[in-house]
Amino acid sequence: MGYFKDIELKNYRNFTKYSIEFSNKCNVLYGKNGSGKTNILEAISLFNKGRGIRKDQINNFIQSNENNFCNFANFEENNNIYKLKVISEKSKKNLSKKIYLNNDLSKEALDRLYKLFSFLIFLPETERLFLASPNFRRNFIDSFIFSKNNNHNTLINKYKRNILERSKALNLNTFENSWIQKLEENISALGIEIYNQRKIQILSLKKNISFLNKNEKLPFEIDIKLIDKFFADDLNFERYVDELKKSREIDKLVGGANKGPHKSDYLFLVNNDFMVSQLSTGQQKTIILLLFLAQSNYLVNQCNLNPILLMDEVCSHLDELNRKLLLKLTEQFNLQIFMTGTDKNLFSFLSTNTNFCNITV
């Protein structure tokens, strides 16, 4: 198991210079609103691909009146200490994020870095999973896939780029048919792969939730269904390409593509036919925590991976059952977990081994 031993922030968000040490188990960051609790979680997440848990612009990471930020961390795995650094760097007019592993930013070093850890992320808006847009649910499923396969975002981005290029090409007065054909072949291959990855993820969640339900004896069974008029188990490359070709005229008018995994939605049900979105807020929170438990069980026991959990403001709507599930998440798996909240007392149900950190500016 790997874990973050500490982190040091320089010119990052509200921190001019700040350092903090962590436990390899559960860490609770508590303090007043605006003290920087979420900023610390975000800073940890920046050591992975992407723009962090809030997907913000890089210039917003940099403290006012400063030119760049520079964060450091020590990560331990199997008694080896890895020195991590993430900085903002300006090239011409653009800002980019650079990550170093032991002062090395080569592709080989980054490949090694990305294999050291993965994240499961709970944000306050996660509680709206069943009420939010289909895009929110797709992103949620994709984030779980990414926790096992950090190339999944590359797959999604390639798919989106090809959709955009095809849309631009269709709106030209004249276009090369061979170029449109190539883009549609790319979209089809990538789209089928996305469908397959999401299908595997949903099957895994259902299997692991069922396993957890038997142990916890919850009052309901949970099911997850794909809502997508285009997808079928027998969907193949040739049919996908043909459907895209047939839809060129309508896609030219409305933009994008009217078929594909970017149009999917996921319906969460309890007891076969009752929508989770109709349950109470506390019951919806129960199912969300079960999803995180199921994914953790899958990663740890079936993939031999130990994700790091970043859980921001997780203590709302915690009844007795939800406290039990959150406690189970901290104790059943050998994971490093970070939670934030405004009051230390919100976490009184956690183990005495919890590391409590009062965040003050």
Side-chain angles (χ1 to χ4, degrees):
M1 169 195 166
Y3 68 98
F4 284 88
K5 292 174 65 67
D6 54 37
I7 194 169
E8 180 181 348
L9 313 176
K10 290 186 177 181
N11 301 330
Y12 185 80
R13 295 287 192 181
N14 65 314
F15 298 107
T16 301
K17 187 173 182 180
Y18 187 85
S19 61
I20 184 172
E21 295 182 355
F22 303 125
S23 161
N24 64 344
K25 302 298 183 183
C26 185
N27 298 270
V28 170
L29 314 180
Y30 69 95
K32 295 180 181 179
N33 290 327
S35 60
K37 306 180 297 295
T38 305
N39 292 343
I40 294 173
L41 297 193
E42 180 185 56
I44 293 170
S45 70
L46 284 178
F47 289 105
N48 205 353
K49 293 180 178 180
R51 291 181 282 118
I53 59 176
R54 288 183 283 207
K55 297 179 172 53
D56 205 352
Q57 298 299 315
I58 293 174
N59 62 291
N60 291 331
F61 300 149
I62 305 170
Q63 198 173 53
S64 299
N65 301 318
E66 297 292 342
N67 295 320
N68 68 316
F69 77 87
C70 187
N71 298 340
F72 305 86
N74 287 300
F75 188 86
E76 180 170 343
E77 183 191 52
N78 297 328
N79 296 318
N80 294 316
I81 303 294
Y82 297 91
K83 294 187 178 297
L84 314 182
K85 179 172 71 172
V86 59
I87 65 172
S88 61
E89 186 175 278
K90 193 168 186 177
S91 175
K92 295 182 180 179
K93 294 182 179 180
N94 298 320
L95 276 171
S96 61
K97 184 187 83 170
K98 300 291 185 182
I99 310 176
Y100 295 78
L101 174 64
N102 296 329
N103 290 318
D104 186 355
L105 52 59
S106 66
K107 183 180 183 302
E108 292 76 11
L110 292 181
D111 287 343
R112 173 62 183 135
L113 171 66
Y114 296 143
K115 292 177 182 177
L116 285 177
F117 49 78
S118 65
F119 294 112
L120 285 176
I121 298 168
F122 175 98
L123 300 175
E125 53 264 36
T126 306
E127 297 198 22
R128 298 186 60 254
L129 175 65
F130 312 114
L131 302 173
S133 67
N135 183 60
F136 191 94
R137 284 183 285 278
R138 290 193 299 270
N139 289 342
F140 179 82
I141 298 299
D142 286 336
S143 73
F144 273 22
I145 300 173
F146 185 71
S147 68
K148 176 180 181 263
N149 174 13
N150 61 28
N151 289 319
H152 185 67
N153 277 16
T154 302
L155 174 67
I156 296 292
N157 290 334
K158 283 183 179 179
Y159 175 78
K160 290 179 178 178
R161 283 198 301 272
N162 277 272
I163 292 281
L164 180 60
E165 285 297 315
R166 174 177 176 266
S167 184
K168 289 179 179 178
L170 286 174
N171 280 280
L172 296 174
N173 291 328
T174 58
F175 58 80
E176 292 185 19
N177 190 68
S178 60
W179 175 234
I180 297 289
Q181 177 75 16
K182 178 60 178 176
L183 289 171
E184 290 173 346
E185 289 174 356
N186 291 344
I187 292 168
S188 300
L190 295 166
I192 287 174
E193 180 62 20
I194 293 169
Y195 275 130
N196 288 338
Q197 291 293 326
R198 290 177 178 171
K199 180 179 179 180
I200 292 169
Q201 179 62 57
I202 294 300
L203 290 173
S204 167
L205 282 175
K206 290 166 67 171
K207 177 182 177 181
N208 283 277
I209 288 173
S210 179
F211 172 77
L212 292 169
N213 272 350
K214 290 178 182 178
N215 291 338
E216 299 303 325
K217 298 181 180 178
L218 295 172
F220 37 67
E221 294 287 333
I222 301 169
D223 193 14
I224 309 171
K225 292 184 178 180
L226 169 67
I227 308 299
D228 190 309
K229 294 180 180 179
F230 177 57
F231 178 76
D233 287 332
D234 61 351
L235 177 64
N236 59 39
F237 176 78
E238 289 75 18
R239 180 189 155 202
Y240 202 139
V241 172
D242 186 56
E243 290 293 331
L244 286 174
K245 184 176 181 179
K246 290 177 181 177
S247 65
R248 286 178 184 176
E249 287 303 316
I250 187 170
D251 289 344
K252 179 179 179 179
L253 291 173
V254 301
N258 67 351
K259 297 174 182 177
H262 61 294
K263 295 293 185 179
S264 297
D265 195 4
Y266 293 89
L267 187 63
F268 293 77
L269 302 167
V270 293
N271 300 336
N272 295 321
D273 60 358
F274 196 80
M275 291 190 295
V276 171
S277 59
Q278 301 301 308
L279 297 176
S280 71
T281 304
Q283 288 174 313
Q284 291 183 39
K285 181 67 168 280
T286 297
I287 293 174
I288 288 170
L289 290 177
L290 269 173
L291 292 172
F292 277 86
L293 271 166
Q295 184 67 1
S296 296
N297 188 67
Y298 169 64
L299 293 174
V300 172
N301 295 319
Q302 297 169 44
C303 303
N304 196 30
L305 295 173
N306 294 85
I308 293 168
L309 271 66
L310 304 178
M311 312 191 82
D312 191 26
E313 300 293 343
V314 71
C315 278
S316 64
H317 309 113
L318 286 189
D319 55 19
E320 182 179 353
L321 175 56
N322 289 343
R323 284 193 292 271
K324 180 180 177 183
L325 291 176
L326 198 53
L327 180 62
K328 187 180 183 70
L329 190 58
T330 65
E331 294 186 341
Q332 178 167 326
F333 309 106
N334 189 26
L335 303 176
Q336 186 178 37
I337 301 177
F338 295 88
M339 301 182 190
T340 70
T342 55
D343 192 331
K344 182 178 179 180
N345 293 327
L346 293 170
F347 303 91
S348 59
F349 63 93
L350 293 176
S351 164
T352 55
N353 292 327
T354 301
N355 177 39
F356 287 94
C357 308
N358 185 10
I359 309 301
T360 58
V361 180

